[in-house]
Amino acid sequence: MSKVVVFNRTGSADVLEIIDSAVAAPGAREVQMRVAALGLNRAEVMYRNGQYVIEPQFPARLGYEAAGTVTAVGKDVTDFAVGDKVSVIPSFMFTDYGMYGEVVNVPVHAVVKHPDNLSFDEAAASWMMYITAFGALIEYGQLCAGQHVVIRAASSSVGLAAIQIARMVGAIPIAITRSSEKRAQLLQAGAAQVIASDEQDLVAELNQICGSAGVNIVFDPVGGPDTAKLMQVMANGAHYFQYGALDSRNIEVPVMDILAKHLTLRGYELFEITTDAEKRARAHAFVSAGLASGQLKPVIDKTFTFDKIADAHRYMESNGQIGKIVVTL
């Protein structure tokens, strides 16, 4: 038996329940793990609210990110053994697997041995945010030393991961946040410059920072009207990656900027990388190297115990965090 989190209707964090549930033996190509830590992410909140890309099937499980110790392996699993310390790369749907539990089964393709210098909390916090940023900035954007990358919602876990990855390859990360409240923390986290979009002129500030070189990549989970402003300062052939919709209004696209500068605007999601074996392997290698060297270091904002999972969700929805929210078991 294992304590697991389920919900039987969509809604606020109050719908989350912790119940006792039998855990089946791992099937073929599955690994069973005792969970030590969970990383929280916005997709889980959206799924609980009924606003995600898939509909919950009740009683619904959830959870993409975890780290712990292997307790059993299924048929055809050769790379892992009981006692291995492992963590999970999100590459499955909540309707198939959920990590919110004391003991869980995981598809073997999603399991990795993380660098030894990571704690379970850090390992659980790492893969989703770093691979999300890696996919846009490195796999598709080919970000290089000396280039400018604009990172919106920069105090989020993915935003901080993007800042670190940009620094790792010698690029220049420009953090965009709504107010000046988080400026000092973002500079300390590695941002070369911080712009408060509600207080400063985005176009004027970016033109002053980038000059004639312009912005090479925009990495944006927000959208909304400011998209048009950012496109004004993008370089020829630059890429705009939209990976969320925190602002639900339609994106405004200035057609002459698109045409004259040959800009690329594309939707992007983590699963483009994690469900493709070759891309997932490249992401794993890049992120593992960064974690092992210390160039990538997960920023953990706050930890909660498993029995306070609803409070952890409420804290995420308050939008006050700088970095990752982790739940320990």
Side-chain angles (χ1 to χ4, degrees), residues 227-232 251-260 263:
T227 304
K229 297 177 183 178
L230 292 168
M231 286 191 173
Q232 291 179 41
I251 293 173
E252 296 181 9
V253 178
V255 65
M256 293 312 297
D257 283 321
I258 290 278
L259 291 174
L263 304 181

Side-chain angles (χ1 to χ4, degrees), residues 5 57 156 166 230 280:
V5 175
Q57 298 176 11
S156 69
L230 292 168
R280 185 174 65 244

Side-chain angles (χ1 to χ4, degrees), residues 85 87 113-124 126-127 130 287-298 300:
K85 295 180 179 180
S87 46
K113 296 174 184 177
H114 49 258
D116 291 337
N117 62 326
L118 295 187
S119 68
F120 281 129
D121 289 8
E122 291 171 325
S126 292
W127 297 108
Y130 284 122
V287 174
S288 289
L291 291 169
S293 69
Q295 292 174 285
L296 303 181
K297 179 74 170 175
I300 297 176

Side-chain angles (χ1 to χ4, degrees), residues 38-39 41 44 47 61-65 92 94 97-100:
L38 300 165
N41 57 77
E44 292 159 0
Y47 186 59
R61 296 281 303 273
L62 73 173
Y64 275 138
E65 306 172 82
F92 47 84
F94 294 134
Y97 296 91
M99 298 299 103
Y100 283 16

